[in-house]
Protein backbone atom coordinates (compact mmCIF):
# COMPACT_ATOMS: atom_id res chain seq x y z
CA UNK A 1 0.00 0.00 0.00
CA UNK A 2 1.37 3.44 -0.95
CA UNK A 3 -0.14 6.69 0.34
CA UNK A 4 0.72 10.36 0.03
CA UNK A 5 -0.03 13.17 2.47
CA UNK A 6 0.00 16.94 3.05
CA UNK A 7 3.31 16.54 4.91
CA UNK A 8 5.11 15.80 1.57
CA UNK A 9 5.80 12.16 2.54
CA UNK A 10 5.13 8.96 0.60
CA UNK A 11 4.37 5.98 2.87
CA UNK A 12 4.85 2.37 1.84
CA UNK A 13 3.43 -0.62 3.72
CA UNK A 14 3.65 -4.33 2.94
CA UNK A 15 0.62 -6.51 3.64
CA UNK A 16 1.37 -10.24 3.17
CA UNK A 17 -2.17 -11.35 2.33
CA UNK A 18 -1.37 -15.07 2.33
CA UNK A 19 -0.61 -14.90 6.04
CA UNK A 20 -2.51 -12.93 8.65
CA UNK A 21 -3.46 -9.46 7.51
CA UNK A 22 -0.72 -7.51 9.27
CA UNK A 23 0.69 -4.20 8.06
CA UNK A 24 4.49 -4.03 7.90
CA UNK A 25 6.12 -0.57 7.42
CA UNK A 26 8.15 -0.69 4.20
CA UNK A 27 9.43 2.86 3.64
CA UNK A 28 8.81 6.50 4.49
CA UNK A 29 10.14 8.79 1.80
CA UNK A 30 10.20 12.60 1.66
CA UNK A 31 8.94 12.55 -1.89
CA UNK A 32 8.25 16.18 -2.85
CA UNK A 33 8.77 19.77 -1.76
CA UNK A 34 4.98 20.27 -1.45
CA UNK A 35 1.96 18.13 -0.52
CA UNK A 36 1.18 15.03 -2.60
CA UNK A 37 -1.94 15.27 -4.75
CA UNK A 38 -2.02 12.05 -6.83
CA UNK A 39 -0.54 8.55 -6.91
CA UNK A 40 -0.78 5.75 -9.51
CA UNK A 41 0.70 2.26 -9.88
CA UNK A 42 1.31 -0.36 -12.56
CA UNK A 43 3.05 -3.73 -12.26
CA UNK A 44 6.48 -2.12 -11.79
CA UNK A 45 6.30 1.59 -11.00
CA UNK A 46 4.68 3.92 -8.51
CA UNK A 47 4.31 7.54 -9.65
CA UNK A 48 3.36 10.48 -7.44
CA UNK A 49 2.15 13.95 -8.37
CA UNK A 50 2.41 17.03 -6.19
CA UNK A 51 1.72 20.70 -5.77
CA UNK A 52 5.44 21.21 -6.54
CA UNK A 53 4.51 20.58 -10.24
CA UNK A 54 6.63 17.41 -10.57
CA UNK A 55 5.90 13.71 -11.06
CA UNK A 56 8.27 11.40 -9.17
CA UNK A 57 8.88 7.81 -10.34
CA UNK A 58 9.74 4.86 -8.09
CA UNK A 59 10.88 1.46 -9.34
CA UNK A 60 9.19 -0.97 -6.93
CA UNK A 61 11.12 -4.01 -8.16
CA UNK A 62 14.50 -2.41 -7.46
CA UNK A 63 13.12 -0.32 -4.58
CA UNK A 64 14.82 2.84 -5.89
CA UNK A 65 13.88 6.34 -7.07
CA UNK A 66 13.76 6.35 -10.86
CA UNK A 67 13.66 10.10 -11.60
CA UNK A 68 11.22 12.97 -12.10
CA UNK A 69 9.01 14.24 -14.95
CA UNK A 70 8.92 18.02 -15.35
CA UNK A 71 6.53 18.70 -18.22
CA UNK A 72 3.73 20.42 -16.27
CA UNK A 73 3.50 23.96 -14.90
CA UNK A 74 0.96 23.57 -12.14
CA UNK A 75 -0.23 21.14 -9.47
CA UNK A 76 -0.47 17.56 -10.76
CA UNK A 77 -4.13 16.68 -10.28
CA UNK A 78 -4.45 13.18 -11.80
CA UNK A 79 -2.28 10.24 -12.87
CA UNK A 80 -3.36 7.02 -14.56
CA UNK A 81 -1.43 4.14 -16.12
CA UNK A 82 -2.66 2.24 -19.15
CA UNK A 83 -1.04 -1.21 -19.03
CA UNK A 84 2.74 -1.36 -18.72
CA UNK A 85 3.65 1.03 -21.54
CA UNK A 86 1.83 4.33 -20.97
CA UNK A 87 1.00 6.91 -18.31
CA UNK A 88 -1.42 9.84 -18.59
CA UNK A 89 -1.02 12.89 -16.38
CA UNK A 90 -3.25 15.94 -15.92
CA UNK A 91 -2.50 19.21 -14.14
CA UNK A 92 -3.68 22.71 -13.30
CA UNK A 93 -1.90 24.02 -16.43
CA UNK A 94 -4.74 22.51 -18.50
CA UNK A 95 -2.47 19.91 -20.14
CA UNK A 96 -2.81 16.15 -20.44
CA UNK A 97 0.53 14.48 -21.14
CA UNK A 98 0.99 10.98 -22.58
CA UNK A 99 4.19 9.30 -21.37
CA UNK A 100 6.07 6.28 -22.63
CA UNK A 101 7.05 4.31 -19.51
CA UNK A 102 9.99 2.53 -21.13
CA UNK A 103 12.04 5.65 -21.87
CA UNK A 104 9.88 8.01 -19.77
CA UNK A 105 9.53 10.52 -22.59
CA UNK A 106 6.50 12.71 -23.27
CA UNK A 107 4.95 11.37 -26.49
CA UNK A 108 2.23 14.01 -26.66
CA UNK A 109 1.17 17.07 -24.72
CA UNK A 110 -2.51 17.92 -25.27
CA UNK A 111 -4.03 21.32 -24.44
CA UNK A 112 -7.03 19.63 -22.83
CA UNK A 113 -8.92 22.33 -20.90
CA UNK A 114 -8.97 26.14 -20.70
CA UNK A 115 -8.88 25.85 -16.91
CA UNK A 116 -7.41 23.11 -14.71
CA UNK A 117 -7.66 19.42 -15.57
CA UNK A 118 -9.43 18.05 -12.48
CA UNK A 119 -9.73 14.35 -13.38
CA UNK A 120 -9.13 11.89 -16.21
CA UNK A 121 -9.99 8.24 -16.87
CA UNK A 122 -8.83 5.82 -19.59
CA UNK A 123 -11.31 3.43 -21.20
CA UNK A 124 -10.44 -0.27 -20.61
CA UNK A 125 -9.74 -0.64 -24.37
CA UNK A 126 -7.12 2.11 -24.27
CA UNK A 127 -8.68 3.85 -27.28
CA UNK A 128 -10.59 6.56 -25.41
CA UNK A 129 -10.01 8.79 -22.43
CA UNK A 130 -12.36 11.17 -20.63
CA UNK A 131 -11.34 14.32 -18.81
CA UNK A 132 -13.10 17.06 -16.85
CA UNK A 133 -11.82 20.52 -15.98
CA UNK A 134 -12.64 23.89 -14.46
CA UNK A 135 -13.90 25.16 -17.85
CA UNK A 136 -17.17 23.25 -17.18
CA UNK A 137 -16.54 20.72 -19.97
CA UNK A 138 -16.35 16.95 -20.24
CA UNK A 139 -14.04 15.97 -23.08
CA UNK A 140 -13.66 12.66 -24.88
CA UNK A 141 -10.19 11.97 -26.31
CA UNK A 142 -9.41 9.69 -29.22
CA UNK A 143 -6.11 8.17 -28.04
CA UNK A 144 -5.56 6.39 -31.35
CA UNK A 145 -5.15 9.77 -33.06
CA UNK A 146 -4.33 11.84 -29.97
CA UNK A 147 -7.06 14.41 -30.56
CA UNK A 148 -10.37 15.62 -29.11
CA UNK A 149 -13.34 13.50 -30.21
CA UNK A 150 -16.26 15.14 -28.39
CA UNK A 151 -16.93 18.04 -26.01
CA UNK A 152 -19.90 18.16 -23.63
CA UNK A 153 -20.71 21.33 -21.70
CA UNK A 154 -21.59 20.84 -18.04
CA UNK A 155 -23.60 23.21 -15.83
CA UNK A 156 -20.93 23.09 -13.11
CA UNK A 157 -17.29 22.03 -12.73
CA UNK A 158 -16.90 18.27 -12.29
CA UNK A 159 -13.97 17.14 -10.12
CA UNK A 160 -14.04 13.34 -10.65
CA UNK A 161 -14.62 11.18 -13.74
CA UNK A 162 -14.39 7.38 -13.85
CA UNK A 163 -15.03 4.55 -16.34
CA UNK A 164 -16.67 1.34 -15.15
CA UNK A 165 -14.44 -1.79 -15.43
CA UNK A 166 -16.42 -3.07 -18.44
CA UNK A 167 -16.31 0.33 -20.19
CA UNK A 168 -20.09 0.35 -20.70
CA UNK A 169 -20.71 3.40 -18.49
CA UNK A 170 -18.92 6.28 -16.81
CA UNK A 171 -19.67 8.62 -13.93
CA UNK A 172 -18.95 12.27 -13.21
CA UNK A 173 -18.92 13.88 -9.77
CA UNK A 174 -20.03 17.50 -9.26
CA UNK A 175 -19.73 18.46 -5.56
CA UNK A 176 -22.14 15.96 -3.90
CA UNK A 177 -23.80 14.61 -7.06
CA UNK A 178 -22.85 11.56 -9.16
CA UNK A 179 -24.23 11.42 -12.71
CA UNK A 180 -24.21 7.96 -14.32
CA UNK A 181 -23.76 7.98 -18.12
CA UNK A 182 -24.23 5.17 -20.64
CA UNK A 183 -21.45 4.94 -23.24
CA UNK A 184 -23.63 4.11 -26.28
CA UNK A 185 -26.02 7.04 -25.75
CA UNK A 186 -23.70 9.44 -23.82
CA UNK A 187 -26.79 10.39 -21.80
CA UNK A 188 -27.41 10.40 -18.03
CA UNK A 189 -29.24 7.25 -16.90
CA UNK A 190 -29.38 8.15 -13.20
CA UNK A 191 -28.15 10.48 -10.46
CA UNK A 192 -26.88 9.71 -6.96
CA UNK A 193 -26.84 12.48 -4.33
CA UNK A 194 -25.05 12.53 -0.97
CA UNK A 195 -25.26 15.00 1.91
CA UNK A 196 -21.56 15.97 1.87
CA UNK A 197 -19.09 16.75 -0.92
CA UNK A 198 -17.71 13.58 -2.54
CA UNK A 199 -13.92 13.25 -2.27
CA UNK A 200 -13.40 9.78 -3.72
CA UNK A 201 -15.26 7.21 -5.78
CA UNK A 202 -14.41 3.69 -6.95
CA UNK A 203 -16.19 1.02 -9.01
CA UNK A 204 -16.32 -2.19 -6.95
CA UNK A 205 -18.03 -4.09 -9.78
CA UNK A 206 -19.41 -2.96 -13.16
CA UNK A 207 -22.56 -1.70 -11.43
CA UNK A 208 -21.63 -1.05 -7.76
CA UNK A 209 -19.94 2.17 -6.63
CA UNK A 210 -18.10 2.86 -3.38
CA UNK A 211 -18.46 6.55 -2.52
CA UNK A 212 -16.67 8.50 0.21
CA UNK A 213 -16.97 12.17 1.05
CA UNK A 214 -16.23 14.85 3.57
CA UNK A 215 -17.48 12.63 6.39
CA UNK A 216 -16.46 9.35 8.04
CA UNK A 217 -18.90 7.13 6.14
CA UNK A 218 -18.45 4.87 3.09
CA UNK A 219 -21.54 4.09 1.04
CA UNK A 220 -22.13 1.44 -1.63
CA UNK A 221 -24.59 2.40 -4.38
CA UNK A 222 -26.15 0.54 -7.29
CA UNK A 223 -25.60 2.35 -10.61
CA UNK A 224 -28.77 0.76 -11.98
CA UNK A 225 -31.22 1.73 -9.22
CA UNK A 226 -29.13 4.58 -7.67
CA UNK A 227 -30.08 3.15 -4.27
CA UNK A 228 -27.74 2.92 -1.29
CA UNK A 229 -26.98 -0.77 -0.70
CA UNK A 230 -24.92 -0.34 2.47
CA UNK A 231 -23.25 2.36 4.56
CA UNK A 232 -20.86 2.18 7.50
CA UNK A 233 -18.57 4.41 9.56
CA UNK A 234 -15.00 3.70 8.44
CA UNK A 235 -12.93 6.50 10.03
CA UNK A 236 -12.95 9.28 12.62
CA UNK A 237 -12.41 12.03 10.04
CA UNK A 238 -13.19 12.66 6.36
CA UNK A 239 -12.16 9.94 3.91
CA UNK A 240 -9.76 11.14 1.21
CA UNK A 241 -9.35 8.09 -1.04
CA UNK A 242 -10.67 4.57 -1.71
CA UNK A 243 -8.93 1.74 -3.55
CA UNK A 244 -10.26 -1.71 -4.42
CA UNK A 245 -8.67 -4.98 -5.55
CA UNK A 246 -9.50 -8.67 -5.71
CA UNK A 247 -7.29 -11.53 -4.53
CA UNK A 248 -8.18 -15.24 -4.69
CA UNK A 249 -11.88 -14.42 -4.82
CA UNK A 250 -11.64 -11.99 -1.92
CA UNK A 251 -12.68 -8.37 -2.56
CA UNK A 252 -10.63 -5.92 -0.51
CA UNK A 253 -11.44 -2.22 -0.01
CA UNK A 254 -8.61 0.08 1.14
CA UNK A 255 -9.41 3.49 2.63
CA UNK A 256 -7.27 6.49 3.62
CA UNK A 257 -8.49 9.31 5.85
CA UNK A 258 -7.44 12.68 7.24
CA UNK A 259 -7.38 10.95 10.64
CA UNK A 260 -4.08 9.35 9.50
CA UNK A 261 -5.36 5.78 9.28
CA UNK A 262 -5.14 3.41 6.32
CA UNK A 263 -7.66 0.57 6.71
CA UNK A 264 -8.30 -2.61 4.72
CA UNK A 265 -11.78 -4.15 4.61
CA UNK A 266 -13.09 -7.50 3.43
CA UNK A 267 -16.23 -7.04 1.32
CA UNK A 268 -18.50 -10.00 0.61
CA UNK A 269 -20.26 -9.15 -2.68
CA UNK A 270 -22.85 -11.87 -2.04
CA UNK A 271 -23.77 -10.06 1.17
CA UNK A 272 -23.37 -6.48 -0.04
CA UNK A 273 -25.86 -5.19 2.54
CA UNK A 274 -23.63 -6.44 5.37
CA UNK A 275 -20.96 -4.10 6.78
CA UNK A 276 -17.48 -5.13 5.53
CA UNK A 277 -15.17 -6.65 8.16
CA UNK A 278 -11.94 -4.84 9.10
CA UNK A 279 -8.85 -6.85 8.07
CA UNK A 280 -6.11 -4.52 9.34
CA UNK A 281 -5.24 -0.86 9.94
CA UNK A 282 -2.20 1.36 10.40
CA UNK A 283 -1.84 4.87 11.79
CA UNK A 284 0.53 7.03 9.67
CA UNK A 285 0.01 10.08 11.95
CA UNK A 286 -0.21 12.23 8.81
CA UNK A 287 -3.04 13.93 6.90
CA UNK A 288 -3.43 11.51 4.01
CA UNK A 289 -4.44 12.75 0.56
CA UNK A 290 -4.08 9.87 -1.95
CA UNK A 291 -3.77 6.10 -2.01
CA UNK A 292 -2.91 3.17 -4.30
CA UNK A 293 -2.07 -0.52 -3.97
CA UNK A 294 0.95 -1.99 -5.75
CA UNK A 295 0.61 -5.75 -6.25
CA UNK A 296 3.77 -7.83 -6.52
CA UNK A 297 4.66 -9.58 -9.79
CA UNK A 298 3.78 -13.09 -8.59
CA UNK A 299 0.25 -12.06 -7.66
CA UNK A 300 -0.03 -10.06 -10.91
CA UNK A 301 0.84 -13.20 -12.86
CA UNK A 302 -1.78 -15.19 -10.95
CA UNK A 303 -4.41 -12.58 -11.69
CA UNK A 304 -3.45 -12.32 -15.37
CA UNK A 305 -3.50 -16.10 -15.87
CA UNK A 306 -6.98 -16.19 -14.32
CA UNK A 307 -8.14 -13.42 -16.63
CA UNK A 308 -6.65 -15.11 -19.70
CA UNK A 309 -8.39 -18.39 -18.84
CA UNK A 310 -11.71 -16.58 -18.50
CA UNK A 311 -11.33 -14.34 -21.55
CA UNK A 312 -13.46 -14.93 -24.65
CA UNK A 313 -12.63 -14.56 -28.36
CA UNK A 314 -14.07 -11.04 -28.22
CA UNK A 315 -11.42 -10.07 -25.70
CA UNK A 316 -8.73 -11.56 -27.94
CA UNK A 317 -10.01 -9.45 -30.85
CA UNK A 318 -9.92 -6.35 -28.64
CA UNK A 319 -6.33 -7.14 -27.60
CA UNK A 320 -5.24 -7.34 -31.24
CA UNK A 321 -6.89 -3.96 -31.82
CA UNK A 322 -5.00 -2.50 -28.88
CA UNK A 323 -1.70 -3.88 -30.20
CA UNK A 324 -2.42 -2.34 -33.58
CA UNK A 325 -3.38 0.93 -31.89
CA UNK A 326 -0.11 1.05 -30.01
CA UNK A 327 1.76 0.92 -33.29
CA UNK A 328 -0.24 3.81 -34.72
CA UNK A 329 -1.04 6.01 -31.76
CA UNK A 330 0.91 7.33 -28.83
CA UNK A 331 3.75 8.05 -31.31
CA UNK A 332 5.51 11.34 -31.59
CA UNK A 333 5.13 13.60 -34.62
CA UNK A 334 8.91 13.52 -34.99
CA UNK A 335 8.71 9.72 -35.54
CA UNK A 336 6.20 10.24 -38.33
CA UNK A 337 8.35 12.99 -39.84
CA UNK A 338 11.40 10.71 -39.74
CA UNK A 339 9.47 7.92 -41.50
CA UNK A 340 8.25 10.39 -44.13
CA UNK A 341 11.81 11.63 -44.61
CA UNK A 342 13.05 8.04 -44.98
CA UNK A 343 10.34 7.36 -47.56
CA UNK A 344 11.26 10.48 -49.56
CA UNK A 345 14.98 9.61 -49.61
CA UNK A 346 14.18 6.05 -50.75
CA UNK A 347 12.02 7.39 -53.59
CA UNK A 348 14.78 9.85 -54.46
CA UNK A 349 17.28 7.00 -54.67
CA UNK A 350 14.94 5.04 -56.96
CA UNK A 351 14.56 8.05 -59.25
CA UNK A 352 18.30 8.77 -59.33
CA UNK A 353 19.31 5.13 -59.98
CA UNK A 354 18.66 5.17 -63.82
CA UNK A 355 20.43 8.54 -64.13
CA UNK A 356 23.49 7.21 -62.34
CA UNK A 357 23.59 4.18 -64.69
CA UNK A 358 23.39 6.50 -67.70
CA UNK A 359 26.25 8.66 -66.32
CA UNK A 360 28.41 5.56 -65.73
CA UNK A 361 27.87 4.43 -69.37
CA UNK A 362 28.80 7.88 -70.68
CA UNK A 363 31.94 8.01 -68.52
CA UNK A 364 33.08 4.55 -69.60
CA UNK A 365 32.53 5.37 -73.32
Amino acid sequence: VVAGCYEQVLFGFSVPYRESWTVVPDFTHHAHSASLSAVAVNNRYVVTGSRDETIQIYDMKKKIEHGALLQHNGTITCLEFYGTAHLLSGAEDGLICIWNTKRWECLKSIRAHKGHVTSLSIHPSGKLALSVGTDKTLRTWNLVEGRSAFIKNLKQNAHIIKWSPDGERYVTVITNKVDVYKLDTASITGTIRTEKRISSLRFITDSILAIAGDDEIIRFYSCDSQKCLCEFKAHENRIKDIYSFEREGQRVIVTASSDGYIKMWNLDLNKIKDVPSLLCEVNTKARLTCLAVWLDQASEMEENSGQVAASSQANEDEKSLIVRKKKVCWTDKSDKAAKRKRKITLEKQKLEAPLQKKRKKQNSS
Side-chain angles (χ1 to χ4, degrees), residues 109-151:
S109 182
I110 303 165
R111 174 61 61 186
H113 291 270
K114 288 173 184 171
H116 304 166
V117 178
T118 51
S119 182
L120 63 85
S121 186
I122 305 168
H123 189 268
S125 70
K127 296 173 197 171
L128 290 175
L130 296 172
S131 69
V132 286
T134 55
D135 55 0
K136 295 181 185 175
T137 64
L138 186 165
R139 294 175 187 249
T140 308
W141 301 97
N142 179 337
L143 293 179
V144 178
E145 296 171 17
R147 62 177 179 81
S148 176
F150 184 72
I151 300 170

Side-chain angles (χ1 to χ4, degrees), residues 28-67:
T28 304
H29 179 65
H30 198 283
H32 291 268
S33 59
S35 61
L36 277 75
S37 50
V39 62
V41 296
N42 72 357
N43 66 340
R44 178 164 184 176
Y45 296 103
V46 168
V47 292
T48 57
S50 166
R51 290 183 179 276
D52 66 8
E53 306 180 356
T54 69
I55 299 166
Q56 298 287 342
I57 311 159
Y58 306 92
D59 188 325
M60 294 299 282
K61 287 182 182 175
K62 295 179 181 176
K63 293 285 172 76
I64 57 166
E65 284 184 70
H66 196 74

Side-chain angles (χ1 to χ4, degrees), residues 240-296:
K240 296 296 286 185
D241 211 350
I242 311 174
Y243 204 87
S244 165
F245 66 95
E246 193 176 352
R247 270 293 164 271
E248 297 169 359
Q250 188 175 24
R251 172 63 64 179
V252 180
I253 311 292
V254 191
T255 58
S257 166
S258 295
D259 64 9
Y261 276 89
I262 297 169
K263 296 186 181 185
M264 301 183 89
W265 309 83
N266 179 29
L267 175 65
D268 188 343
L269 289 171
N270 298 319
K271 299 173 183 173
I272 191 71
K273 291 184 179 178
D274 292 354
V275 173
S277 57
L278 183 65
L279 293 166
C280 58
E281 64 181 26
V282 62
N283 187 3
T284 63
K285 296 176 182 175
R287 293 171 297 159
L288 299 170
T289 55
C290 50
L291 171 82
V293 176
W294 180 79
L295 302 163
D296 63 30

Side-chain angles (χ1 to χ4, degrees), residues 71-75 90-97 111 113-117:
Q71 189 80 8
H72 289 286
N73 292 310
T75 297
E92 287 187 354
D93 56 6
L95 295 179
I96 289 176
C97 293
R111 174 61 61 186
H113 291 270
K114 288 173 184 171
H116 304 166
V117 178

